[in-house]
Structures are given as structure tokens and as C-alpha cells.
């Protein structure tokens, strides 16, 4: 296959790709979901099964998605079109690129709204406005923010501008520079929070909650959570990893590099869990919970009542902003790259167009927490709930299944081997077998069970 012209550029080093892919993989679920579901579903038992699911589902599909990007050297849509032609397959496979690109765009639209909340809380905690608040007061403050449309739109706009500034700079001056700064900063933040939790919280109880092995607490439902999260936590199926793979240097060992990314993503999740639950468990007046309630109600109460809480609470929300920022720049990139390639737009024009569209769609999420909160016109859900379910529970797993099938069954064996030539033959053939069987079956289980419980519930 003739290598295509690299119109977007190439990551300057292997570690730049690793930092970029880790930034794409690490998301809000690493903060407000994984630690809680691990502790509530068997602790160490859940973590072990989760790691097994990563090996059978997350890692193989991530390798496949990076491979598609590096071999296609274009945006997901154009890469899939070229690779389907190379494989002598139906042009319909280009739909995989569209599915991922659209899913990523929709996620950006509501991610920027939620990240705006974190920006607001960063300044609120830093300004001392949350010192000594009670649970009821924190809950009322959060509800007040949700009802203030102008405030929500202000922070949403600021955050999407932050994202556009990076994306407009391109691979070298934008994305590459950002990830080399943001990712070390992210891990510095989480290590500072772990230190705070170990000195001001109950570190032993947090470790027991997360890693205490409880086979009795692990159920079939726990297995489904571990299986689903092993895919969702890596941000797969949204086009971002494929787009980043297109900028990956040819000589970089693909398999080993992906394993490092997965290890860093998992390490971040575990460190965040230790940091958060060290302080949550040490505060008996605040109950364990997950999701936005943990982040925007429980933690502000805890930080507002603990020594040095104002400082470390600010650090926590700065970490949340960085997590969301590194994710949104990766999710916006596929559609921007497609406009540059297919419509010959300048990168600045393409970024502004996609950013404006994401901002406009994001208004639906803003309204979903006030005026449209009770408007359940989307299959019994409001606008935000529908988008969240559609992207997380349908588009992502469906995209993962299609990626596994295309790479495992449609692409030529010689093409795969060429991209993974740095891996041993045994590892390569093992990956192909897992990708053909275990990975799509695992994702199909997640998709079917999710839809079953949704429809029957």
C-alpha cells in the first residue's frame, strides 16, 4: 500500500502520542464512576475482572482503532473509505468513520457544558465561597447553578473556546504542545490529591474500599459493569483514537504503545479513587455516591470543611477541567480533520465551524437542567439524558463491534502484519484471534444487555 501524504503532520515522538492518547482516554468517568463502582462491586475482585476485560476487549480494540488511523493516515471517514477499498470491501464500511465522528461530536457538545461546571467550581472554591458549606447548602448552590442559563452558557462558551485554541494550532503547535503540558500537569494534580488524602483523610479505609477482595460483592451485574467500562474508559469508538493514530510515527511499536496508554489510564483511575475516597470515607456526614453528585455536592462539602481544603479543592477541580479539556480536543479533531481534507477548509475555519456547531447543540444540554428538565420527548428522556444514553450505550459499543469485525475479518492479513511488524508473531496472532472472537462478543453482550434493561425498565 502506498503511504498517503500526511497533510496534518506527525507526532514528534512516541511519548507525545502516548500522552495524547492517554489524554483522550482519561475522562470524567475515571473520576466520578470507576472508583465508586469498583468499591461497590467487590473491590479487588472487580479490579481483577476489569483488568481481564481490558486485556480481552479494551486493548485489542484500541490497537485496532490506532491501526486503522495509522494505515489510513486521514480522518476516520476518509481512512475507512481508503481501507475498505484496499481490502476490496463494501464502501459501506465508511459508516464506521461517520459513526465515530458523529459520536465524538455529540459527546463534545455536552462535555463542554459539564466542564463549564468544573470551571465555575474552580473559581468558587478558590475564592472561598464554599468554605464551611453543608450538604443542603452545597446541593442548593448546585441547583442554583443549573437553573442559571446565562451562567451555564458563559462557562460552556469559555471552555469550548479553550478547546478551539488548541485544535486550531494543529498537530504540532496545538495538540502536541497541549498534551505535553496538560498530561504531566494532570498526574501532578492527582499525586497532590493522593498526598492530601493520605494526610487529611483515611487512606487505609480507601485502599480497603477499592482493593479489599470481596467475591460475595461481585455479581453478574458487576461483570457487565467491568466489561462495559473496560471499553468506555478508553474513549474508543469516537474517532479520536483513530485520528490520533493517523499522526503516529510509522516505526513506533503499536501494541506496546497501546498497552502503556491503557496502563496510564488505569493508574489514573486508581489514584483518583484513592484520593477521593480517602477524604470521603473520613467524612461520615457525607455519603458515598457517584456521578455529578459526588463531584459537585459531596466533595465541595468535604473540601470546605477540611484543613487546606480550599487549596486542594481548587486543585481537584482544576484536574477535572484538564481531564475534560484533553478529551474534548481529541474528540473535536476528527471532524476538523475531515473538513480540512474533504472541503479544503483552513484548520482555523474548520475548527470554528465545528466548535460553533458543538456549542449550539450543547445549548440543548444547558436547557436540559432547567427549562427542558421535564420534557421527556426522547424515548422517556430529556435531551441530555438521550444524548448520553445514545452515545455511551449504543454508538460507542456498536462502533467498537464494527471496528473489531472490520480489522479482524475484513482487512487483509498482510496489512495487519505490516502495521504490527514490531510485535512477535505469537503476540500478533493472539491479538487477531482475540479481536475476531472475544472483543466483538464482549461488546455485543454490553450492547444487548444495556438495550434489554433500558427497554424492559
Amino acid at each position: 500500500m502506498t503511504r498517503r501524504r500526511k497533510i496534518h503532520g506527525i507526532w514528534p515522538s512516541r511519548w507525545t502520542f502516548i500522552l495524547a492518547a492517554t489524554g483522550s482516554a482519561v475522562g470524567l468517568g475515571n473520576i466520578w464512576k470507576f472508583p465508586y463502582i469498583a468499591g461497590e462491586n467487590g473491590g479487588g475482585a472487580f479490579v481483577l475482572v476489569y483488568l481481564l476485560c481490558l486485556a480481552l476487549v479494551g486493548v485489542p480494540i484500541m490497537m485496532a482503532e490506532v491501526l486503522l488511523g495509522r494505515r489510513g493516515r486521514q480522518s476516520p471517514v476518509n481512512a475507512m473509505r481508503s481501507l475498505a477499498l484496499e481490502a476490496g470491501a463494501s464502501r459501506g464500511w465508511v459508516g464506521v468513520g461517520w459513526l465515530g465522528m458523529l459520536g465524538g461530536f455529540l459527546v463534545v457538545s455536552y462535555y463542554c457544558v459539564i466542564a463549564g461546571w468544573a470551571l465555575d467550581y474552580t473559581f468558587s472554591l478558590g475564592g472561598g465561597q464554599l468554605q464551611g458549606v453543608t450538604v443542603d447548602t452545597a446541593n442548593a448552590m448546585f441547583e442554583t447553578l443549573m437553573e442559571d442559563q446565562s451562567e451555564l452558557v458563559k462557562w460552556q462558551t469559555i471552555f469550548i473556546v479553550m478547546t478551539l485554541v488548541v485544535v486550531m494550532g494543529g498537530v504540532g503547535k496545538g495538540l502536541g504542545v497541549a498534551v505535553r503540558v496538560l498530561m504531566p500537569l494532570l498526574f501532578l494534580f492527582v499525586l497532590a490529591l493522593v498526598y492530601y488524602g493520605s494526610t487529611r483523610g483515611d487512606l487505609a479505609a480507601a485502599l480497603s474500599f477499592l482493593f479489599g477482595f470481596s467475591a460475595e460483592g461481585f455479581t453478574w451485574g458487576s461483570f457487565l459493569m467491568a466489561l462495559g467500562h473496560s471499553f468506555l474508559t478508553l474513549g474508543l469508538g469516537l474517532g479520536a483514537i483513530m485520528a490520533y493514530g493517523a499522526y503516529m510515527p510509522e516505526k513506533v511499536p503499536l501494541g506496546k504503545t497501546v498497552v502503556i496508554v491503557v496502563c496510564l489510564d488505569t493508574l489514573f483511575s486508581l489514584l483518583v479513587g484513592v484520593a477521593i475516597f480517602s477524604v470521603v470515607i473520613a467524612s461520615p456526614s457525607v455519603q458515598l455516591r457517584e456521578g455529578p453528585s459526588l463531584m459537585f455536592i459531596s466533595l465541595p462539602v468535604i473540601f470546605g470543611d477540611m484543613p487546606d481544603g480550599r487549596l486542594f479543592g481548587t486543585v481537584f477541580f482544576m484536574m477535572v477541567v484538564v481531564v475534560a479539556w484533553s478529551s474534548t480536543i481529541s474528540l473535536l479533531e476528527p471532524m476538523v480533520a475531515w473538513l480540512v481534507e474533504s472541503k479544503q477548509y483552513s484548520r482555523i475555519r474548520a475548527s470554528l465551524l465545528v466548535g460553533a456547531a458543538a456549542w449550539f447543540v450543547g445549548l440543548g444540554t444547558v436547557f436540559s437542567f432547567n427549562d427542558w428538565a421535564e420534557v421527556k420527548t426522547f424515548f422517556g428522556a430529556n435531551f441530555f439524558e438521550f444524548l448520553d444514553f445514545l452515545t455511551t450505550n449504543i454508538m460507542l459499543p456498536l462502533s467498537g463491534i464494527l471496528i473489531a469485525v472490520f480489522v479482524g475479518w475484513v482487512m487483509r492479513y498482510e496489512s495487519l502484519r505490516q502495521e504490527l511488524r514490531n510485535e512477535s508473531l505469537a503476540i500478533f496472532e493472539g491479538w487477531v484471534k482475540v479481536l475476531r472472537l472475544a472483543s466483538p462478543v464482549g461488546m455485543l453482550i454490553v450492547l444487548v444487555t444495556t438495550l434489554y434493561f433500558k427497554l424492559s425498565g
Side-chain angles (χ1 to χ4, degrees):
M1 174 181 176
T2 303
R3 290 292 177 183
R4 297 177 177 85
R5 185 166 61 94
K6 308 174 184 66
I7 65 172
H8 303 291
I10 293 290
W11 300 117
S13 69
R14 177 191 185 192
W15 272 101
T16 304
F17 170 80
I18 289 172
L19 293 174
T22 303
S24 176
V26 170
L28 295 178
N30 296 72
I31 299 175
W32 70 27
K33 185 175 183 179
F34 176 77
Y36 179 85
I37 63 174
E40 290 290 298
N41 289 275
F46 180 91
V47 173
L48 284 176
V49 174
Y50 168 73
L51 293 175
L52 177 62
C53 291
L54 274 177
L56 295 177
V57 176
V59 171
I61 295 180
M62 189 173 196
M63 288 175 61
E65 189 165 350
V66 173
L67 183 149
L68 290 172
R70 187 164 74 171
R71 190 156 186 86
R73 291 294 184 198
Q74 299 172 88
S75 64
V77 169
N78 291 330
M80 288 302 303
R81 180 178 290 111
S82 299
L83 294 175
L85 180 64
E86 179 191 39
S90 167
R91 289 174 56 87
W93 283 105
V94 74
V96 176
W98 282 112
L99 181 64
M101 201 164 71
L102 178 60
F105 171 80
L106 293 176
V107 170
V108 168
S109 75
Y110 63 77
Y111 237 55
C112 287
V113 177
I114 298 172
W117 308 347
L119 275 173
D120 178 87
Y121 271 67
T122 299
F123 288 98
S124 294
L125 264 166
Q129 298 174 31
L130 295 169
Q131 291 295 106
V133 296
T134 64
V135 173
D136 290 339
T137 304
N139 189 59
M141 292 179 66
F142 184 59
E143 289 180 354
T144 299
L145 176 62
M146 294 301 99
E147 293 169 0
D148 191 339
Q149 293 179 0
S150 61
E151 196 72 4
L152 293 178
V153 171
K154 179 187 77 174
W155 291 114
Q156 172 207 18
T157 304
I158 292 173
F159 188 82
I160 207 161
V161 168
M162 289 167 54
T163 301
L164 291 177
V165 166
V166 175
V167 177
M168 285 189 295
V171 176
K173 297 179 180 179
L175 303 174
V177 172
V179 299
R180 288 198 297 272
V181 173
L182 294 181
M183 297 317 296
L185 188 63
L186 183 62
F187 277 91
L188 182 63
F189 283 160
V190 76
L191 289 174
L193 290 167
V194 170
Y195 168 77
Y196 181 73
S198 67
T199 56
R200 301 298 189 185
D202 193 337
L203 179 63
L207 292 173
S208 176
F209 177 73
L210 280 170
F211 302 110
F213 198 92
S214 173
E216 298 79 14
F218 190 83
T219 64
W220 171 247
S222 304
F223 170 74
L224 292 177
M225 287 184 187
L227 183 61
H229 198 71
S230 69
F231 179 81
L232 299 178
T233 188
L234 298 176
L236 304 178
L238 292 172
I241 295 298
M242 197 186 301
Y244 277 7
Y247 314 145
M248 188 183 196
E250 292 178 13
K251 295 182 180 180
V252 169
L254 192 152
K256 297 181 182 68
T257 302
V258 165
V259 169
I260 292 174
V261 172
V262 173
C263 288
L264 288 175
D265 176 79
T266 305
L267 176 63
F268 178 81
S269 295
L270 296 176
L271 288 175
V272 167
V274 170
I276 289 177
F277 289 108
S278 291
V279 296
V280 171
I281 294 173
S283 303
S285 61
V286 178
Q287 67 181 101
L288 291 173
R289 61 179 86 190
E290 64 173 315
S293 296
L294 168 67
M295 190 181 297
F296 297 103
I297 297 176
S298 298
L299 289 176
V301 172
I302 294 169
F303 286 128
D305 194 45
M306 295 182 74
D308 304 317
R310 178 176 171 181
L311 170 62
F312 284 91
T314 304
V315 169
F316 172 80
F317 280 103
M318 288 174 65
M319 179 187 72
V320 174
V321 170
V322 170
V323 165
W325 197 6
S326 62
S327 295
T328 54
I329 62 176
S330 70
L331 294 173
L332 214 59
E333 175 63 18
M335 190 165 285
V336 170
W338 178 76
L339 286 174
V340 171
E341 294 165 2
S342 302
K343 305 299 179 182
Q344 287 75 54
Y345 286 1
S346 69
R347 177 165 276 271
I348 292 177
R349 181 186 180 190
S351 300
L352 291 174
L353 179 61
V354 176
W359 178 87
F360 180 77
V361 176
L363 294 178
T365 295
V366 170
F367 299 147
S368 295
F369 293 95
N370 35 77
D371 289 355
W372 294 357
E374 301 305 319
V375 180
K376 310 289 186 178
T377 57
F378 300 93
F379 304 97
N382 65 31
F383 183 82
F384 166 70
E385 292 167 344
F386 172 72
L387 276 192
D388 184 39
F389 180 82
L390 175 66
T391 54
T392 303
N393 297 296
I394 297 179
M395 298 179 77
L396 269 71
L398 179 59
S399 181
I401 293 169
L402 293 174
I403 287 171
V405 171
F406 181 80
V407 176
W409 293 98
V410 178
M411 287 187 70
R412 294 170 180 167
Y413 182 91
E414 297 78 14
S415 301
L416 303 182
R417 186 58 184 150
Q418 183 180 1
E419 294 300 323
L420 289 170
R421 57 188 175 278
N422 292 317
E423 310 299 335
S424 70
L425 183 61
I427 290 177
F428 170 75
E429 292 186 341
W431 167 73
V432 171
K433 290 177 181 177
V434 170
L435 187 69
R436 286 179 171 179
L437 300 174
S439 298
V441 169
M443 292 314 304
L444 185 62
I445 291 173
V446 172
L447 179 62
V448 171
T449 54
T450 300
L451 289 176
Y452 172 77
F453 286 120
K454 179 68 175 179
L455 294 175
S456 63

